[in-house]
Amino acid sequence: MDSVGVAAAAPDAGPGPAWQSKCPWGAPNTTSISCSLADVMSEQLAKELQLEEENAAFPEVVAAAEGPFITGENIDTSSDLMLAQMLQMEFDREYDAQLRREEKKINGDSKVSISFENYRKVHPYDSDSSEDEVDWQDTRHDPYRADKPTTTPKRGFIGKGKDITTKHDEVVCGRKNTARMENFAPEFQVGDGIGMDLKLSNQVFNALKQHAYSEERRSARLHEKKEHSTAEKAVDPKTRLLLYKMVNSGMLETITGCISTGKESVVFHAYGGKSATEDKVIPPECAIKVFKTTLNEFKNRDKYIKDDYRFKDRFSKLNPRKIIRMWAEKEMHNLTRMQNAGIPCPQVVILKKHVLVMSFIGQDQVPAPKLKDVTLSNEDMKKAYYQILNMMQQLYRECNLVHADLSEYNMLWHDGKVWLIDVSQSVEPTHPHGLEFLFRDCRNVSQFFQKGGVAEALNERELFNAVSGLNITADNEVDFQAEIEALEKMNEDHVQNHGKKLSTFSSDGDPPIYDE
Ligand code: ADP
Ligand code: MN
């Protein structure tokens, strides 16, 4: 395949004459892409080995993938699925553009015009254009589970009804092949045939395509980037595409790898790139939180969001995929509130569907340790405690939020202070279960610091009162919780009767703000 004459496009051939000569591919001896024999040999060897391996694993799939390059609408999916989708998207765009050119050319100034509308591509991958598109194939199916590779079903025709055109239609096919050349890597020179009404035979096109692909793989090996390795495996193809676009746009420099895979999210580290707008600065290091969920996990969490009046109107109309996005949206809003109150927390960079990019807490790819994983001196421990007490009060009063999952797992120790993270489930205090969540947070914090030897640490009931400003006097947990639930109920009744929430639960007189 190294003998394919791609050199027709060599710049010195000049425009025009090369295409008018008998062989549109020019003289083979001007080959501009050097490719050693050893290279080709090893390429083939690698491919053979890979095929052998795949053959053993998925005999039926390989049989299809090995077929001829052009089989109707079929594209080569034996390589990375994402790459294929990117290529397909690009192809579709170019193909449509080409179609428009053809249409214009044929119609000219004629009063009667024909439309190529039926030939236009409608592809499932580019989801940016629609607000309503399906992000996850089907939530009954876990999108994070690795799939056996599948191949696109072959279709030997395009168009509908009497407009049907089979793949064998020589003119259409030839033009399509010419248009398809635009999908080759940018550095692969295809000459200026694309703008012309040039019809490439399948044979010529396939040879070119094969060469273009092997060139592409060759250069990919040379410039292999990390975002194509680690990060890809943990997310589904659509998320991968989103991440890929972030890198492609330059917003992120590289995605280096996965920091955490939890039940509900996967977090990646990335180096920030350049922002498209000048007023925004991308932090040098970013954390990318990808919200994932199966129907099960979403069920476990829906009590947080379902009763959150901020999202209430929208909840009922939504499908699970949209609710996943709402988690991301909620985390973004909550982080922004915290940022505005000056609470140490990640800074939001951008939200794209279910993917939230924020500043990275940590340095040089090493995330700051969770409070549960650091051993602090007695002094730091005490400092951390008072800081958290303060932050809980700020969160409640200034941000009108209850963390709702506060514990040593969601607090990071960085730069000599505590940073709060993981606020997608945070709710406003008037949430029907808001005070219960707050009480649980208080219990976690009290227990952690009491065990950690901070003698000053309030017990959970004292902490609850100190944060909320409420004055619940019960001296045992059962009564205390009963009072909390009574307050929540009172608020709900108020909502029923007056159609709105009480602004806060705050009793008269501001409770003391604890300072160290
Ligand atoms: P989950 O819901 O999966 O617990 P988290 O937001 O807590 O999601 O993130 C999981 C882990 O990822 C955290 O425990 C932390 O180690 C890491 N992490 C998340 N966000 C950041 C960030 N902005 N900077 C550094 N590490 C982070
Ligand atoms: Mn967490």
Side-chain angles (χ1 to χ4, degrees):
M1 67 184 175
D2 54 331
S3 63
V4 173
V6 274
D12 54 340
W19 298 108
Q20 283 148 23
S21 70
K22 214 169 182 189
C23 166
W25 303 108
N29 58 358
T30 50
T31 299
S32 63
I33 295 164
S34 62
C35 180
S36 81
L37 185 63
D39 229 317
V40 176
M41 293 307 289
S42 63
E43 177 77 52
Q44 284 174 345
L45 186 68
K47 181 141 194 206
E48 277 166 22
L49 287 172
Q50 189 198 339
L51 281 178
E52 244 172 60
E53 215 174 285
E54 284 171 1
N55 242 328
F58 315 107
E60 77 288 6
V61 172
V62 174
E66 257 187 319
F69 273 90
I70 294 184
T71 45
E73 296 296 280
N74 197 13
I75 55 157
D76 183 8
T77 51
S78 64
S79 67
D80 182 14
L81 178 62
M82 182 198 68
L83 204 65
Q85 289 175 348
M86 295 295 295
L87 283 170
Q88 180 71 58
M89 270 168 50
E90 198 54 38
F91 166 69
D92 290 350
R93 257 194 296 277
E94 299 299 341
Y95 178 73
D96 285 350
Q98 176 70 7
L99 212 57
R100 274 192 294 276
R101 281 197 289 272
E102 298 280 348
E103 204 177 89
K104 213 167 148 204
K105 188 172 164 196
I106 288 182
N107 289 330
D109 294 332
S110 164
K111 281 190 184 132
V112 183
S113 62
I114 59 155
S115 166
F116 283 4
E117 195 56 42
N118 283 347
Y119 293 103
R120 203 140 284 167
K121 292 274 172 185
V122 182
H123 55 73
Y125 310 119
D126 192 9
S127 44
D128 268 358
S129 47
S130 154
E131 241 312 289
D132 235 347
E133 95 298 337
V134 173
D135 244 0
W136 307 89
Q137 296 85 340
D138 183 343
T139 37
R140 280 168 302 180
H141 166 83
D142 185 351
Y144 290 86
R145 202 182 305 133
D147 267 333
K148 253 177 85 166
T150 51
T151 48
T152 1
K154 291 177 194 178
R155 272 177 57 205
F157 60 91
I158 48 175
K160 283 191 270 204
K162 64 178 167 41
D163 291 332
I164 226 164
T165 309
T166 73
K167 64 179 173 179
H168 303 296
D169 185 300
E170 216 174 282
V171 174
V172 171
C173 198
R175 284 185 183 137
K176 213 158 119 179
N177 285 345
T178 306
R180 274 175 163 170
M181 283 200 310
E182 286 192 82
N183 292 325
F184 296 161
E187 63 275 13
F188 188 87
Q189 297 180 345
V190 292
D192 44 8
I194 283 160
M196 302 176 182
D197 189 19
L198 181 76
K199 293 159 217 77
L200 283 188
S201 77
N202 280 359
Q203 203 189 356
V204 174
F205 176 77
N206 281 343
L208 271 172
K209 177 173 171 175
Q210 202 150 19
H211 189 80
Y213 272 27
S214 70
E215 280 304 307
E216 223 175 305
R217 280 197 299 269
R218 211 164 68 97
S219 78
R221 275 200 306 276
L222 294 175
H223 310 287
E224 195 155 299
K225 282 206 170 164
K226 279 183 182 167
E227 71 264 14
H228 291 306
S229 51
T230 338
E232 277 185 4
K233 290 176 192 122
V235 295
D236 66 308
K238 287 180 188 192
T239 307
R240 229 183 292 162
L241 201 55
L242 265 180
L243 297 179
Y244 182 92
K245 282 181 181 174
M246 289 181 183
V247 175
N248 221 18
S249 72
M251 193 194 84
L252 297 177
E253 177 71 38
T254 41
I255 299 174
T256 62
C258 181
I259 309 168
S260 146
T261 11
K263 235 171 43 188
E264 287 144 359
S265 72
V266 186
V267 181
F268 299 104
H269 172 274
Y271 283 109
K274 284 186 203 76
S275 169
T277 51
E278 272 179 20
D279 54 313
K280 202 168 175 184
V281 179
I282 311 278
E285 291 185 73
C286 295
I288 308 171
K289 187 166 177 177
V290 178
F291 288 78
K292 65 169 191 177
T293 191
T294 59
L295 210 51
N296 281 344
E297 279 147 23
F298 138 73
K299 277 258 181 256
N300 291 340
R301 298 187 97 195
D302 73 349
K303 71 169 183 290
Y304 291 100
I305 207 164
K306 199 175 72 202
D307 297 330
D308 190 328
Y309 75 89
R310 292 180 289 167
F311 298 88
K312 206 161 195 156
D313 291 344
R314 296 158 61 188
F315 190 84
S316 55
K317 303 181 200 111
L318 295 173
N319 59 34
R321 286 177 300 279
K322 295 214 168 167
I323 291 169
I324 303 164
R325 283 204 215 166
M326 257 157 78
W327 287 110
E329 198 185 311
K330 228 157 98 81
E331 176 130 32
M332 177 190 70
H333 288 311
N334 293 341
L335 283 176
T336 307
R337 282 194 199 184
M338 289 160 71
Q339 197 78 41
N340 291 340
I343 296 173
C345 67
Q347 193 190 339
V348 173
V349 176
I350 200 170
L351 172 74
K352 284 256 185 214
K353 298 182 181 173
H354 58 292
V355 175
L356 179 67
V357 183
M358 54 190 149
S359 64
F360 179 72
I361 313 300
Q363 208 180 352
D364 298 331
Q365 299 186 39
V366 182
K370 299 180 184 80
L371 222 48
K372 79 168 181 72
D373 293 326
V374 274
T375 318
L376 297 180
S377 67
N378 288 343
E379 202 184 320
D380 275 346
M381 199 68 175
K382 194 169 142 184
K383 191 171 138 193
Y385 174 72
Y386 281 112
Q387 195 207 328
I388 290 163
L389 180 50
N390 245 317
M391 289 196 294
M392 288 176 82
Q393 289 177 328
Q394 274 182 293
L395 201 59
Y396 190 93
R397 288 169 212 179
E398 292 169 41
C399 309
N400 199 31
L401 284 176
V402 168
H403 188 291
D405 193 16
L406 193 65
S407 75
E408 59 274 27
Y409 288 80
N410 283 329
M411 296 190 268
L412 306 181
W413 183 255
H414 179 64
D415 253 0
K417 62 183 173 196
V418 179
W419 298 65
L420 297 188
I421 59 161
D422 202 358
V423 289
S424 61
Q425 73 294 313
S426 300
V427 295
E428 301 203 338
T430 49
H431 181 285
H433 304 289
L435 295 183
E436 291 165 73
F437 297 150
L438 177 62
F439 189 54
R440 198 176 57 194
D441 286 353
C442 290
R443 187 161 46 215
N444 291 337
V445 170
S446 286
Q447 283 176 0
F448 178 76
F449 284 99
Q450 280 172 348
K451 278 186 198 149
V454 177
E456 295 86 345
L458 302 171
N459 72 34
E460 62 226 47
R461 297 186 299 279
E462 294 165 330
L463 183 58
F464 180 93
N465 283 340
V467 170
S468 65
L470 292 166
N471 194 16
I472 299 179
T473 49
D475 61 356
N476 65 79
E477 174 150 352
V478 177
D479 291 347
F480 202 90
Q481 278 201 321
E483 278 198 50
I484 285 177
E485 279 162 39
L487 275 173
E488 286 175 343
K489 185 161 185 319
M490 223 169 72
N491 191 56
E492 274 306 287
D493 291 345
H494 186 87
V495 176
Q496 296 296 320
N497 298 333
H498 298 84
K500 64 169 191 259
K501 301 261 176 185
L502 296 168
S503 59
T504 61
F505 289 98
S506 192
S507 56
D508 36 7
D510 265 353
I513 299 252
Y514 283 79
D515 256 319
E516 15 181 337

